[in-house]
Amino acid sequence: AGETGVPVGCSVRLGMTDGCAGQIATGAVEPGRFVGVIGTTYVLKGVSECLVRDEAGAFYSHRHPEGWWLPGGASNTGGECLAGVAPARLPALDAAAGAQGPASFVRYPLCREGERFPFVSGVARGFEVGRPGGEVDAHRAALEGVAFVERLALDRVERLGVRVLGPLNAAGGGSRSAVWTAIRATVLDRPVRVVERAETAFGAALLAATGTLHENLAASAAAMVGEGVLVEPVPTQRPALEDSYGRFVGALRDRGWLPDD
């Protein structure tokens, strides 16, 4: 108490990294539940019953407070691909991209050198398959490209034997874009749930409520996490996005960055 200022007699319940606390704040606290976070980069985190071992090192796990595991991975791709656009212009570009529909070309919007998840490659670089038809088309392709990375990440998780159940929770700055969220849902062919308070402090509150106000972490999440907003896939856009995703994966394989398995 003298070192930290925590009052004498205050019960310290549990400890957790900030990233994992942010995860549980979305309600992804039981096996099969995952959250995709679009910030500067893309992060996928979830819960598995058993420890997941990934020889490539792209996927790693923390310990779940109830004995399960918290596997996750962080990409070098994400919202950084929009850094060159003035924030004030993003709503108008989003609206135009939503009205346009699927992009006319494929873009891997990696702004850095190398990728670490969903595959590991020190030589990976961003690329385009085709050319944009204008600024709106380029913007739309960037949004789709991050969604393709997210789908590839979920595919990798499932190939490692981890179940991914129900809607994918969405957090981070990218989840504030309704157009981007609809693209993600359509590419994944599963609903995406935009959560209300995906914050580390709220995750810490859920931990503090576990074993005090509520029996376990799942009960804390059920009582304290809101329903959020559920965004469904857009069926009319599925065929075009499925074709673009196939070209995206093919281009990664052609470059030798993506394992054939």
Side-chain angles (χ1 to χ4, degrees):
E3 291 291 334
T4 65
V6 174
V8 174
C10 177
S11 176
V12 178
R13 302 298 303 177
L14 292 167
M16 181 173 279
T17 66
D18 57 348
C20 290
Q23 170 192 336
I24 68 170
T26 71
V29 300
E30 296 180 290
R33 303 301 178 183
F34 277 77
V35 55
V37 183
I38 297 181
T40 301
T41 60
Y42 175 79
V43 177
L44 178 68
K45 297 180 71 67
V47 184
S48 62
E49 294 176 339
C50 301
L51 176 62
V52 180
R53 298 191 183 277
D54 179 13
E55 293 181 0
F59 212 50
Y60 54 90
S61 293
H62 292 272
R63 191 68 166 168
H64 190 290
E66 292 169 17
W68 296 320
W69 296 90
L70 300 170
S75 174
N76 283 339
T77 310
E80 187 177 41
C81 66
L82 303 179
V85 181
R89 298 190 61 236
L90 287 173
L93 280 173
D94 272 9
Q100 171 190 290
S104 67
F105 73 112
V106 173
R107 181 178 176 188
Y108 175 35
L110 175 65
C111 298
R112 309 184 185 203
E113 296 181 355
E115 184 59 279
R116 53 186 172 149
F117 180 72
F119 59 91
V120 178
S121 172
V123 299
R125 301 292 186 273
F127 62 76
E128 296 178 353
V129 180
R131 299 299 301 169
E135 184 184 28
V136 172
D137 199 29
H139 180 71
R140 172 82 190 205
L143 304 184
E144 292 177 3
V146 176
F148 295 157
V149 169
E150 180 168 61
R151 176 169 166 180
L152 198 60
L154 284 171
D155 288 349
R156 182 178 183 87
V157 169
E158 292 182 323
R159 287 200 307 274
L160 289 170
V162 180
R163 295 182 304 158
V164 180
L165 303 175
L168 177 73
N169 290 340
S175 66
R176 293 196 291 268
S177 167
V179 171
W180 206 349
T181 304
I183 290 171
R184 294 167 67 184
T186 307
V187 169
L188 298 175
D189 197 24
R190 73 167 66 225
V192 172
R193 185 172 73 97
V194 181
V195 297
E196 298 170 356
R197 291 174 295 188
E199 302 162 355
T200 297
F202 183 58
L206 289 177
L207 286 173
T210 300
T212 52
L213 297 178
H214 304 290
E215 180 181 1
N216 52 40
L217 186 55
S220 292
M224 299 169 65
V225 177
E227 293 183 0
V229 176
L230 197 66
V231 178
E232 298 284 350
V234 181
T236 56
Q237 296 185 6
R238 274 282 302 160
L241 289 175
E242 188 70 18
D243 178 70
S244 292
Y245 179 70
R247 288 190 288 154
F248 173 76
V249 171
L252 292 175
R253 288 208 170 102
D254 289 345
R255 287 164 171 79
W257 302 340
L258 194 63
D260 289 334
D261 59 356

